[in-house]
Amino acid sequence: GNPFGLGGTVTAGIVSALARNIGGPYDYMQIDAAVNHGNSGGPSINLEGDVVGVNTAIYSPTGGSVGIAFAVPSDTVKRVVEQLEKGGAVSRGWLGVKIQDVDKDLAGNLGLKEPHGAIVSEVLPDGPAAAAGLKVEDAIVQIDAKKIDDSRDLARTIADMPAKAMVDVKIWRNKGEQTVKVKLGTYPNKDEVADKDNDQEEKPEDTNTTVDLKQLGITLKPAAAGKDGVVISEVDPNSDAATKGLREGDVILKAGGQNVTSPQDVVNAVKKTKDDGLSAVMFHIKKGGEQTVLVAVPIGKG
């Protein structure tokens, strides 16, 4: 490293943690060595003199070292170097979906015996997953012969595969397993799929047509004219809905797997969920006008 332009420097420290997630598809080592501006690219070395990582980033409220730094593990570096030597560029596989972990309530709603895999909350248009027919609410449980534990496991697995590779994606859909063949794309260098409508915040129309769903702890109102879904106008702060992260202004696009256009559609979905013997109703939620997530909210009494 070359901190602050002073020249080569060696610092000492310990490995605080492995497999830290600081963004991107890879995990990082956390070290408490003094890593400052300019140290990026310098090696992390063990007591035998072996390079075990490459310093990459720090967490700091001041811009200087506070003892929380991150290094790319050496096995990841080796794979990157091999790709650079062979082709002059790094190529990582890309599935073209937004994913999240499967919690206990989502697993029960999907019919999975236990929470595992990664559930698809959004399929990006014109991506590999869209071309292969993957859908929102599909739970990805296996890639080729590798079982998938959670969303981070899926991101790492796909990123370690070469672009253009053909993979078998085992999904859980309609309470059964299916296998879909997907030709991976190339992991984008920039956020090429950002929502183009972020700067246009739409507010729901002013209406008194609200529905109070006490079983869930939320109050609903119709969306603005021409907009999809139903708007959450109020959330009981002591409810399971609040615990699950639902907030005022969130938009419910689907309830119980069905598109909703009115508060009554949500009420009907909750009733059907209870009639089906399920303890939680699954919502497809749009948050902040851009991010979409799947949330399973337990159904209380009322």
Side-chain angles (χ1 to χ4, degrees):
N2 185 26
F4 303 115
L6 296 173
T9 301
V10 176
T11 59
I14 65 171
V15 175
S16 305
L18 299 175
R20 286 294 197 206
N21 173 19
I22 64 171
Y26 296 125
D27 290 328
Y28 294 81
M29 300 165 47
Q30 181 182 328
I31 57 179
D32 76 343
V35 174
N36 285 291
H37 285 297
N39 275 123
S40 294
S44 302
I45 302 172
N46 66 14
L47 292 176
E48 283 72 43
D50 301 319
V51 175
V52 296
V54 173
N55 300 333
T56 303
I58 62 172
Y59 173 81
S60 172
T62 64
S65 176
V66 293
I68 303 177
F70 303 95
V72 177
S74 56
D75 58 346
T76 301
V77 176
K78 287 180 180 178
R79 295 196 300 271
V80 170
V81 170
E82 288 174 357
Q83 289 191 37
L84 290 174
E85 288 178 337
K86 291 179 180 178
V90 178
S91 175
R92 296 178 294 182
W94 181 59
L95 195 55
V97 293
K98 293 184 180 180
I99 53 176
Q100 62 187 80
D101 292 341
V102 178
D103 62 18
K104 182 177 179 181
D105 290 322
L106 280 173
N109 201 280
L110 294 170
L112 284 169
K113 293 182 179 179
E114 58 183 16
H116 72 285
I119 191 167
V120 176
S121 60
E122 184 176 346
V123 179
L124 302 181
D126 302 323
L134 289 184
K135 301 178 180 179
V136 172
E137 299 182 16
D138 285 344
I140 299 174
V141 297
Q142 187 170 316
I143 300 293
D144 288 339
K146 185 183 185 306
K147 294 187 180 297
I148 300 300
D149 295 326
D150 52 31
S151 59
R152 285 295 298 163
D153 189 20
L154 176 61
R156 288 192 300 265
T157 300
I158 295 297
D160 283 341
M161 293 179 166
K164 311 302 181 185
M166 186 68 73
V167 297
D168 288 331
V169 179
K170 184 175 287 187
I171 61 173
W172 182 267
R173 179 191 293 175
N174 297 329
K175 295 183 172 55
E177 286 187 344
Q178 301 180 32
T179 299
V180 179
K181 286 191 175 295
V182 180
K183 184 178 182 180
L184 299 180
T186 302
Y187 191 88
N189 293 323
K190 297 181 180 180
D191 189 8
E192 300 170 352
V193 293
D195 189 353
K196 298 179 180 178
D197 299 323
N198 287 352
D199 56 350
Q200 297 181 354
E201 183 178 354
E202 294 289 342
K203 296 182 178 180
E205 61 187 8
D206 186 11
T207 174
N208 293 322
T209 309
T210 62
V211 172
D212 188 6
L213 266 175
K214 294 183 178 179
Q215 305 104 310
L216 303 180
I218 58 177
T219 302
L220 307 175
K221 65 190 304 183
K227 294 296 177 181
D228 295 331
V230 175
V231 177
I232 297 177
S233 59
E234 188 176 346
V235 180
D236 181 351
N238 299 315
S239 66
D240 286 324
T243 302
K244 290 285 187 173
L246 296 188
R247 298 290 182 267
E248 180 182 344
D250 288 350
V251 178
I252 299 175
L253 300 176
K254 288 185 177 182
Q258 301 297 316
N259 292 327
V260 296
T261 58
S262 69
Q264 187 59 46
D265 288 342
V266 180
V267 174
N268 294 340
V270 172
K271 182 179 183 303
K272 184 178 186 304
T273 299
K274 293 177 68 174
D275 291 344
D276 290 342
L278 300 176
S279 61
V281 59
M282 184 161 60
F283 293 127
H284 190 192
I285 303 286
K286 179 186 284 188
K287 303 181 73 68
E290 52 177 315
Q291 181 187 11
T292 57
V293 297
L294 294 171
V295 181
V297 180
I299 301 173
K301 297 179 179 180

